[in-house]
């Protein structure tokens, strides 16, 4: 039996068409069948969802998620990570390859896809650029492309061998695959816990300098220009990086970038208040950097908002600041944070926020997502734009509790998440 779903009376916000109006959305066989005012309810086999007073938008597309499985199931599993995604309105995600073993061959890509198939979330595994993410030998790009990967990345292990990276970009270009680039000079940052500056001096520990990010961004922008490759800079955090990318785009370089909610909401001072919960790579930066990230989002220099969802065990984050792993979870808070600190704060329109979280990231990797146009997959997030709520990490679906946003008051709450026409999350 082909069940239909009619979402009635919501404020439909679709950046792919510029739509922002009260209307209905009809779903049939997992796809958008019609969008318009006062759509008639099909006579048979149709459920009706009253979205009056709610926003209906394309499901969020998160380009940077660590699901941890296989190899680190004590931190997260594909099932728990996808449940967290559903609660956060994320219907599509790109899974990073730093698993054990690494996702560096078609067999591992197939393994992740198979595990994710029953979750309701569209999981696209990114594959490693180098075998085992060791930075020594390139993976089989052709085979990985045929296996359906949307991008290549060594993620948190930046490639230091420039000849190898240039070769990777040349090969990726011929296949039309983008390279997702974590940009930090490893010799400069080592395993340092915080930004180099006032806070590192106050704590008496070495820090990760902004220049370590900016030098690699400049390096890889130049390589992108040289090779013609599509290069996407991950989780940018500094004012200098924003300016480098702005200039590169103006010069016609095929470079795009992303940032995360922590970089437009928090600063390095959060480490003094929350210790390891505020330890991330790249680190939280200065007030000036945060303002530059906001400006980059507003003027379009920054293309996408992602989470870099990185769950860790409680005992790991309970270690000393210099020993604890970096990372925070974000799938369940990203929309609320973005609405609170970007839309409600008056920095960006609702269309622009949804564009950065759904339509634009889907377009970056050429995924058939991020739209409510007729004929496309019926992936939607339905949320109350104004409802206030308090972040409670103990209520997370993710195994990870490592968030600096516990106790934060946010405005904007997910009510339903629909993937391929099926309701996969409904607020209790």
């Amino acid at each position: 039996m082909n069940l239909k779903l009619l979402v009635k009376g919501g404020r439909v916000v679709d950046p792919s068409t510029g739509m922002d109006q009260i209307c209905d959305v009809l779903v049939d066989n997992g796809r958008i069948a019609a969008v318009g005012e006062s759509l008639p309810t099909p006579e048979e086999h149709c459920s009706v969802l009253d979205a009056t007073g709610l926003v209906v938008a394309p499901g969020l597309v998160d380009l940077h998620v660590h699901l941890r499985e296989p190899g680190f199931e004590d931190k997260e599993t594909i099932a728990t990570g996808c449940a967290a995604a559903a609660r956060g309105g994320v219907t599509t995600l790109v899974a990073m390859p730093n698993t054990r073993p690494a996702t560096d061959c078609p067999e591992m890509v197939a393994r992740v896809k198979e595990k994710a198939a029953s979750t309701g979330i569209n999981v696209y595994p990114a594959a490693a650029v180098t075998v085992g993410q060791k930075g020594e030998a390139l993976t089989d790009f052709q085979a990985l492309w045929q296996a359906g990967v949307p991008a290549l990345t060594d993620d948190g292990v930046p490639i230091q061998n420039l000849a190898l990276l240039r070769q990777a970009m040349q090969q990726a270009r011929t296949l039309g695959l983008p390279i997702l680039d974590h940009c930090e000079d490893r010799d400069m940052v080592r395993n340092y816990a915080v930004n180099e500056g006032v806070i590192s001096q106050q704590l008496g520990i070495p820090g990760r300098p902004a220049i370590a990010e900016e030098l690699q961004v400049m390096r890889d922008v130049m390589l992108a220009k040289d090779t013609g490759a599509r290069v996407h800079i991950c989780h940018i955090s500094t004012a200098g990086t924003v300016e480098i990318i702005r200039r590169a785009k103006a010069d016609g370089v095929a470079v795009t970038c992303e940032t995360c909610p922590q970089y437009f909401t928090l600063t390095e001072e959060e480490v003094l208040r929350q210790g390891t919960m505020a330890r991330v790579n790249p680190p939280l930066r200065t007030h000036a950097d945060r303002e530059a990230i906001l400006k980059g989002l507003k003027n379009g220099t920054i293309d996408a908002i992602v989470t870099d969802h990185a769950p860790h065990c409680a005992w790991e984050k309970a270690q000393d600041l210099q020993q604890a792993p970096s990372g925070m979870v974000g799938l369940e808070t990203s929309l609320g944070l973005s609405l609170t600190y970007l839309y409600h704060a008056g920095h960006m329109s609702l269309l622009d926020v949804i564009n950065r979280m759904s339509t634009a990231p889907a377009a970056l990797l050429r995924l058939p997502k991020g739209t409510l146009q007729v004929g496309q997959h019926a992936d939607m997030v339905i949320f109350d734009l104004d409802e206030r709520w308090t972040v409670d990490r103990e209520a997370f679906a993710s195994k990870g509790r490592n968030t600096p946003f516990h106790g934060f008051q946010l405005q904007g709450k997910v009510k339903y998440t629909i993937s391929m026409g099926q309701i996969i999350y409904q607020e209790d």
Side-chain angles (χ1 to χ4, degrees):
M1 184 184 299
N2 180 23
L3 295 178
K4 299 178 178 65
L5 173 66
L6 182 63
V7 180
K8 289 193 66 70
R11 177 184 172 185
V12 177
V13 175
D14 183 4
S16 74
T17 60
M19 174 177 278
D20 186 352
Q21 67 182 70
I22 305 299
C23 58
D24 304 338
V25 179
L26 177 64
V27 176
D28 186 1
N29 197 30
R31 293 185 179 269
I32 306 293
V35 179
E37 297 181 24
S38 303
L39 293 178
T41 304
E43 293 183 2
E44 295 182 345
H45 311 311
C46 183
S47 299
V48 177
L49 192 162
D50 183 2
T52 303
L54 304 176
V55 173
V56 180
L60 305 186
V61 178
D62 193 335
L63 300 184
H64 199 139
V65 175
H66 300 269
L67 292 178
R68 302 301 191 198
E69 185 180 357
F72 302 98
E73 289 84 353
D74 52 338
K75 299 173 186 276
E76 189 81 286
T77 65
I78 291 172
T80 58
C82 287
R87 285 175 60 95
V90 175
T91 54
T92 298
L93 63 85
V94 176
M96 294 295 103
N98 61 333
T99 49
R100 188 172 57 200
T103 307
D104 62 0
C105 61
E107 292 76 16
M108 286 302 300
V109 171
R111 179 175 173 182
V112 173
K113 285 184 175 181
E114 182 180 357
K115 292 281 286 190
S118 62
T119 66
I121 301 297
N122 306 291
V123 173
Y124 291 85
V129 176
T130 66
V131 177
Q133 295 182 283
K134 295 179 180 179
E136 297 170 355
L138 297 183
T139 53
D140 186 339
F141 290 8
Q142 178 76 29
L144 290 165
W145 174 72
Q146 291 176 334
V149 303
L152 300 163
T153 180
D154 268 5
D155 187 40
V157 191
I159 298 170
Q160 303 299 295
N161 184 323
L162 289 179
L164 189 69
L165 181 56
R166 184 170 183 264
Q167 182 185 351
M169 287 189 186
Q170 290 169 331
Q171 288 192 23
R173 179 181 179 275
T174 64
L175 296 169
L177 284 173
I179 288 183
L180 314 184
D181 223 354
H182 177 127
C183 287
E184 284 187 297
D185 184 283
R186 293 170 67 185
D187 292 326
M188 282 189 181
V189 301
R190 298 183 183 272
N191 190 39
Y192 300 152
V194 299
N195 181 51
E196 181 183 270
V198 173
I199 301 304
S200 65
Q201 292 172 4
Q202 186 173 335
L203 293 172
I205 58 177
R208 305 171 90 98
I211 194 68
E213 174 178 313
E214 294 157 5
L215 282 173
Q216 286 227 5
V217 171
M218 180 63 81
R219 177 198 79 168
D220 293 357
V221 162
M222 292 176 71
L223 284 171
K225 183 176 182 179
D226 171 67
T227 61
R230 292 163 55 208
V231 173
H232 179 78
I233 309 298
C234 296
H235 45 47
I236 70 169
S237 68
T238 81
T241 294
V242 175
E243 181 60 14
I244 292 166
I245 293 172
R246 186 192 68 79
R247 291 183 180 182
K249 286 186 170 187
D251 194 29
V253 181
V255 61
T256 56
C257 67
E258 65 189 37
T259 196
C260 311
Q262 56 264 30
Y263 300 119
F264 59 77
T265 59
L266 305 176
T267 68
E268 58 184 348
E269 295 169 357
E270 202 66 33
V271 175
L272 298 179
R273 291 185 281 271
Q274 300 209 50
T276 62
M277 288 297 172
R279 177 175 175 171
V280 285
N281 291 345
L284 300 176
R285 304 288 189 182
T286 67
H287 289 275
D289 290 314
R290 182 180 65 182
E291 291 304 307
I293 294 293
L294 280 170
K295 183 178 178 181
L297 282 165
K298 289 190 285 186
N299 66 25
T301 300
I302 300 174
D303 303 272
I305 297 169
V306 306
T307 61
D308 191 10
H309 177 82
H312 291 294
C313 299
W315 70 265
E316 292 176 297
K317 280 291 190 177
Q319 296 178 92
D320 176 83
L321 179 62
Q322 295 189 76
Q323 302 302 319
S326 294
M328 63 178 68
V329 293
L331 286 167
E332 295 169 72
T333 55
S334 63
L335 182 58
L337 287 164
S338 297
L339 293 173
T340 302
Y341 288 91
L342 297 177
Y343 171 73
H344 289 296
H347 294 299
M348 296 173 68
S349 69
L350 185 57
L351 263 172
D352 282 344
V353 171
I354 298 302
N355 183 45
R356 298 297 194 285
M357 302 190 77
S358 179
T359 307
L364 287 177
L365 298 195
R366 300 172 181 171
L367 304 177
K369 303 292 180 180
T371 179
L372 297 179
Q373 294 184 56
V374 171
Q376 300 302 309
H377 296 150
D379 295 347
M380 290 178 269
V381 55
I382 301 176
F383 59 92
D384 187 322
L385 184 57
D386 297 311
E387 181 176 340
R388 297 178 185 274
W389 60 288
T390 301
V391 177
D392 178 9
R393 62 180 168 230
E394 298 307 318
F396 284 172
S398 170
K399 281 190 174 185
R401 301 290 183 267
N402 49 306
T403 175
F405 297 111
H406 177 69
F408 273 50
Q409 303 289 315
L410 302 182
Q411 189 174 4
K413 197 166 196 302
V414 175
K415 295 296 184 179
Y416 301 89
T417 302
I418 297 170
S419 178
M420 303 294 283
Q422 302 295 314
I423 297 174
I424 60 171
Y425 170 74
Q426 179 175 348
E427 186 184 48
D428 295 332

